[in-house]
Each structure stands twice: as structure tokens, then as C-alpha cells.
Amino acid sequence: MEKRDTTVRPEATTVQPELGFGFMRLPKNPDGSDEYDVSLITQLVDYYLSSGFSYFDTAYVYDNGDSERVLKTVLTDRYSRSAFRLTDKLPVWVMGPERDMITVFETSLNRCGVEYFDTYLLHGLNKTFYEMSQNLGAWDYVKAEKERGRIKRIGFSFHDEPALLDKILNEHPETEMVQLQINYADWNNDNIRARECYEVVRAHGLPVYVMEPVKGGRLAALPHDIRAPFTRINESASAASWAFRFVAELDGVACVLSGMNSFDQMEDNVNTFTSLKPLSKDEHEAIEEVTHILGALSTVPCTQCRYCVDTCPQGFEIPALIKTLNDYLTFQTKAPCQREYNMGLARNGDAATCLACGNCEAHCPQHINIVAVMKQIGELFG
């Protein structure tokens, strides 16, 4: 097949951030099979590129590698390399005797069908994964690949505290961009601390690339009573458009990622980003009101301290399981929460198999009845 030849648009500026196409949650065939809907994904890619956007984001671990494979089929096999920019990621936690950094990097290049990545990220850095990246020599490796021309820009995605983020940026001035989870629900959240992390990156003068702007789809599917402050101002605007406009007007945001898996989502997001305008005072107040409503919902007061994980004989990632429950209690949308739970089973374990030993409760500073919570999670998602 002859590849289409089109021109990539310039790097987005802080004035007009770009809509990025995230290949993390790809649609499956409507017949209920586990096969990807390649026809629909192809249409989405074509519409996205024809609308003037060009930034694609994937990762070695997404969909067990299928994200990269599908991307090759619908994008790199059909378009010239100059038509798009591609970001991929190095997951340090998968390294072992049979998987080193070179193998992972080469595998991603081959799966995607490209000779270089425009941006290559150290994936999902937190305290543990940062220490692993240091011990593995991951920073030196990506710098060497950049010198070889197989990486054009180095960065990392991040999920931890602002102090660690500042430490990483001080220790690795070769960083050229940072991908952060930012949305209005997490902006002042005590666990995510999105605002503080954003401010750290901007203090270092780096561009911010936003992931989870609609919190895995949850802010795009708000119940009617929660989104009432929005509809009072604009009945026709989608809930997603409010979330995108919130992050798009932040100084230094170069790109906002969205895992678009339907044509309605694609059209709505493209319309939002091709006609961006700053939020008014009344609109900011409406977002604050919705954020307050979301924050007042009854959720499990887990602080992610992880004392429970250290004492669990089954090694359950209890905070991650509780987060999934809290997302459900907050947004009342089970499908994305079920997907999140199912994707994390290999790492988190099935809550329904909890031994109810109580070791976790003895070490919980918040005095949470974790055994009962695990039972609730198991009944909901198991």
C-alpha cells in the first residue's frame, strides 16, 4: 500500500496546545469479540490527521503490546513518517533476565514499524521506578539512543510527589518534557497533587504534556446531578469539553492526550481544540462547584501510604484496588472502573481472594476496615 504523504503540523505552543491521540484504550469489535476494531481505529486516525493534529502516544506495555501493533497497521503502514509524531515509553519494571532495555526498545521500534521515536519516555516514574531507572542506567541508555538518532527527545511520565519530581529534574537536566496526570478533579487532590507537580515542571521551564485530562473517561461521563453547574451555563457543551478547556489554558501545556475510542469522542474533542477559548469567571466557578461536589462524595479515606502492602501475605496492591473503588463511588461509571480493575489483576490481585487476615488493618494509620473494603471491591468487580 502506498503511504499517504502529508505534512506534520509544527510543535504545539503554550498558546494553542495540541490534541494528542493516546493509544491506550483502543475500541474492540462491536460483536463482543476480543479483537480490535481496526476499521474504526483507522477512521479515527484519518479524521484526526485530516483535522491538523499529529501527536500519537503509545507504550510497550499497553494492551500487552497490541497498542503498538495496531498503531503500525492503522498509522505507520499507511502514512509517511513525516506525517506524524510518535511517543513511546520504557517500562523499567518489566526488566529481567529475558528482557533488557535494548530488547524492549528494539521491540517497540519493530512493533510500531518506525526507525526512531520523536519522544521516548521513562514510563510512570515514582520513587520505586526512579530508583530502578537509576540502577539500570536507563538515563544513560536513552541519551545514547538519542545520540544515535533513534530518539529525538527525552522525557518521562510521572506519578508521585512534587519533591521527587523536583529531585529528578535537578538530577537529570537532559529531560526535555514531562507528562503529568492533570485534570480539575485532581488539581488540588491531596494524593495526586497535580497543581504542585505542574508548578514544579514549569519552574524548570519545561513543557507539560497532559495525560488523564478526563480521568480515564470519568469526567466525560458525569451523572446529570453532578454536571448541573455546567449545563446551567451551556447545555450543549459536553462534559469532556469542560475538562479539556481546563487543562488547555494552563501555561506551558503543549499537548493534551485523549484515548479516543469512538467517532463521537473524536469529533467532540477535535471541535473543542479547533475552537479553544479561555474559561470565563463563571465557567471557572462552575468547575469549582463540580469539583466540590465530587470531593464531597463518600469514599474510602486511603492516603496511599502503602503500610498495608508491606504486611499483606498475598502482596496485594491494596491502595490501587481502593482507588478503583473510589473512582466508582465518585463517578458511578462502572465500565471504566471494571476495565481498570481487570487490567490490574496481574499486579493487584483479585480482591475476592483476600484472606481476611487483618494484617493490613493493624498497620493502617487511617483505621480503615480494609477487610470489609476488599470484600466490597471483590463483590463489585470480581
Side-chain angles (χ1 to χ4, degrees), residues 58-70:
T58 185
Y60 177 85
V61 296
Y62 288 171
D63 290 333
N64 294 317
D66 286 340
S67 171
E68 294 174 328
R69 297 184 188 97
V70 172

Side-chain angles (χ1 to χ4, degrees), residues 183-185 212-224 226-227 230 237-244 258-259 261-262 264-265 268-269 290 294 331 333 336:
N183 55 70
Y184 63 76
E212 302 292 356
V214 291
K215 205 170 173 67
R218 295 163 181 82
L219 298 182
L222 295 173
H224 291 295
I226 295 179
R227 64 181 293 186
F230 294 161
S238 68
S241 69
W242 286 82
F244 284 120
S258 178
N261 54 30
S262 75
D264 286 345
Q265 290 177 5
D268 183 54
N269 293 351
V290 170
L294 292 173
F331 299 103
T333 51

